[in-house]
Amino acid sequence: AEAAGGEVAAAPTRPDPFAAARAFEAALLLRPPESRSQRDPALSKVGEGLYLGGPAACVSWEGAQALLESGVTHVVNATLQLQHPPVPAGEPAFVAVRCAVEAGSSPAGGGAAVTAALEEAAAAIAKSKSEGGRAVVLCDTPGGASAGAIAAYYLMRHCGFPLRRALDALAAAKRGQLLSASLLQRLAEAEARLAAAAEPEDKMKSREADGEAGG
């Protein structure tokens, strides 16, 4: 197409949906190590063999090395954009799985998608511990809500924590975890669902105990 004056007008370009993510990663990589560590502090321990971390582990060798030094063997990547952590030369690869919890909160995903992502992530953490490893949940911000929700759900699903106690564990990790209203709602629904599922088992145990007492 020709513009005024006979010049050829440039064809409209399609927006790049990953431009912001790439710019974010590039900005992190260009920061000096001390600046990156300020933005993405040391891993925070939520429970035995369970840590929370930020994006530096995904975009820098120093961040990946910090995972290895903490004994991390399994990675739950709670983002859609960031790559899995790089592996320093001579080190075994991390067992990594991507569970982008926030993606499920879109209208197309809904609560069912969030619940499925939480379940997959919690199962990955449980598997890491059954294999004698340690897991980290990584988010695109140091205090990311997605990572916090995954850690809380794991504590509820596999450790029997009530929601309040799981949230207290996040607070004790000192990462300023602020979960969105939608994620808190999903966790509250999960707590009710887990409690309902446990009731038949509790009743069966009670009957078995009564039978033994009567025998």
Side-chain angles (χ1 to χ4, degrees), residues 14-22 81:
R14 298 179 62 183
D16 180 359
F18 299 105
R22 278 197 288 269
Q81 300 90 359

PDB file of all heavy atoms in Angstrom, residues 14-22 81:
ATOM      1  N   ARG A  14       2.115  -7.923  13.710  1.00  0.00           N
ATOM      2  CA  ARG A  14       1.313  -8.586  14.737  1.00  0.00           C
ATOM      3  C   ARG A  14       2.036  -8.499  16.080  1.00  0.00           C
ATOM      4  O   ARG A  14       3.251  -8.667  16.150  1.00  0.00           O
ATOM      5  CB  ARG A  14       1.100 -10.053  14.369  1.00  0.00           C
ATOM      6  CG  ARG A  14       0.339 -10.242  13.075  1.00  0.00           C
ATOM      7  CD  ARG A  14       0.180 -11.713  12.755  1.00  0.00           C
ATOM      8  NE  ARG A  14      -0.586 -12.394  13.785  1.00  0.00           N
ATOM      9  CZ  ARG A  14      -0.819 -13.702  13.765  1.00  0.00           C
ATOM     10  NH1 ARG A  14      -0.348 -14.448  12.789  1.00  0.00           N
ATOM     11  NH2 ARG A  14      -1.516 -14.270  14.723  1.00  0.00           N
ATOM     12  N   PRO A  15       1.326  -8.217  17.143  1.00  0.00           N
ATOM     13  CA  PRO A  15       1.978  -8.129  18.454  1.00  0.00           C
ATOM     14  C   PRO A  15       2.557  -9.475  18.870  1.00  0.00           C
ATOM     15  O   PRO A  15       1.998 -10.537  18.580  1.00  0.00           O
ATOM     16  CB  PRO A  15       0.834  -7.698  19.378  1.00  0.00           C
ATOM     17  CG  PRO A  15      -0.413  -8.133  18.672  1.00  0.00           C
ATOM     18  CD  PRO A  15      -0.116  -7.987  17.212  1.00  0.00           C
ATOM     19  N   ASP A  16       3.702  -9.423  19.508  1.00  0.00           N
ATOM     20  CA  ASP A  16       4.368 -10.636  19.977  1.00  0.00           C
ATOM     21  C   ASP A  16       3.916 -10.915  21.405  1.00  0.00           C
ATOM     22  O   ASP A  16       4.248 -10.163  22.321  1.00  0.00           O
ATOM     23  CB  ASP A  16       5.887 -10.441  19.945  1.00  0.00           C
ATOM     24  CG  ASP A  16       6.645 -11.676  20.422  1.00  0.00           C
ATOM     25  OD1 ASP A  16       5.992 -12.662  20.795  1.00  0.00           O
ATOM     26  OD2 ASP A  16       7.883 -11.632  20.418  1.00  0.00           O
ATOM     27  N   PRO A  17       3.172 -11.989  21.658  1.00  0.00           N
ATOM     28  CA  PRO A  17       2.659 -12.234  23.010  1.00  0.00           C
ATOM     29  C   PRO A  17       3.744 -12.559  24.023  1.00  0.00           C
ATOM     30  O   PRO A  17       3.513 -12.492  25.221  1.00  0.00           O
ATOM     31  CB  PRO A  17       1.723 -13.442  22.807  1.00  0.00           C
ATOM     32  CG  PRO A  17       2.241 -14.121  21.582  1.00  0.00           C
ATOM     33  CD  PRO A  17       2.759 -13.014  20.706  1.00  0.00           C
ATOM     34  N   PHE A  18       4.956 -12.916  23.537  1.00  0.00           N
ATOM     35  CA  PHE A  18       6.020 -13.278  24.458  1.00  0.00           C
ATOM     36  C   PHE A  18       7.068 -12.172  24.610  1.00  0.00           C
ATOM     37  O   PHE A  18       8.082 -12.363  25.263  1.00  0.00           O
ATOM     38  CB  PHE A  18       6.704 -14.558  23.989  1.00  0.00           C
ATOM     39  CG  PHE A  18       5.773 -15.739  23.931  1.00  0.00           C
ATOM     40  CD1 PHE A  18       5.302 -16.218  22.718  1.00  0.00           C
ATOM     41  CD2 PHE A  18       5.341 -16.348  25.087  1.00  0.00           C
ATOM     42  CE1 PHE A  18       4.435 -17.297  22.675  1.00  0.00           C
ATOM     43  CE2 PHE A  18       4.475 -17.427  25.049  1.00  0.00           C
ATOM     44  CZ  PHE A  18       4.021 -17.898  23.848  1.00  0.00           C
ATOM     45  N   ALA A  19       6.811 -11.015  23.997  1.00  0.00           N
ATOM     46  CA  ALA A  19       7.784  -9.929  24.050  1.00  0.00           C
ATOM     47  C   ALA A  19       8.042  -9.474  25.480  1.00  0.00           C
ATOM     48  O   ALA A  19       9.182  -9.268  25.891  1.00  0.00           O
ATOM     49  CB  ALA A  19       7.303  -8.751  23.198  1.00  0.00           C
ATOM     50  N   ALA A  20       6.975  -9.334  26.260  1.00  0.00           N
ATOM     51  CA  ALA A  20       7.135  -8.865  27.633  1.00  0.00           C
ATOM     52  C   ALA A  20       7.928  -9.867  28.466  1.00  0.00           C
ATOM     53  O   ALA A  20       8.789  -9.496  29.272  1.00  0.00           O
ATOM     54  CB  ALA A  20       5.765  -8.619  28.266  1.00  0.00           C
ATOM     55  N   ALA A  21       7.655 -11.150  28.268  1.00  0.00           N
ATOM     56  CA  ALA A  21       8.371 -12.179  29.026  1.00  0.00           C
ATOM     57  C   ALA A  21       9.860 -12.184  28.684  1.00  0.00           C
ATOM     58  O   ALA A  21      10.714 -12.283  29.556  1.00  0.00           O
ATOM     59  CB  ALA A  21       7.766 -13.549  28.749  1.00  0.00           C
ATOM     60  N   ARG A  22      10.169 -12.022  27.359  1.00  0.00           N
ATOM     61  CA  ARG A  22      11.574 -12.010  26.959  1.00  0.00           C
ATOM     62  C   ARG A  22      12.292 -10.780  27.494  1.00  0.00           C
ATOM     63  O   ARG A  22      13.447 -10.839  27.908  1.00  0.00           O
ATOM     64  CB  ARG A  22      11.681 -12.088  25.434  1.00  0.00           C
ATOM     65  CG  ARG A  22      11.556 -13.508  24.900  1.00  0.00           C
ATOM     66  CD  ARG A  22      12.076 -13.587  23.471  1.00  0.00           C
ATOM     67  NE  ARG A  22      11.159 -12.944  22.547  1.00  0.00           N
ATOM     68  CZ  ARG A  22      10.172 -13.573  21.921  1.00  0.00           C
ATOM     69  NH1 ARG A  22       9.981 -14.857  22.141  1.00  0.00           N
ATOM     70  NH2 ARG A  22       9.376 -12.944  21.090  1.00  0.00           N
ATOM     71  N   GLN A  81       5.733 -18.504  31.226  1.00  0.00           N
ATOM     72  CA  GLN A  81       6.742 -17.877  30.384  1.00  0.00           C
ATOM     73  C   GLN A  81       8.157 -18.374  30.627  1.00  0.00           C
ATOM     74  O   GLN A  81       8.926 -18.590  29.686  1.00  0.00           O
ATOM     75  CB  GLN A  81       6.720 -16.348  30.587  1.00  0.00           C
ATOM     76  CG  GLN A  81       5.393 -15.687  30.253  1.00  0.00           C
ATOM     77  CD  GLN A  81       4.475 -15.632  31.465  1.00  0.00           C
ATOM     78  OE1 GLN A  81       4.836 -16.116  32.535  1.00  0.00           O
ATOM     79  NE2 GLN A  81       3.307 -15.054  31.303  1.00  0.00           N
TER      80      GLN A  81
END
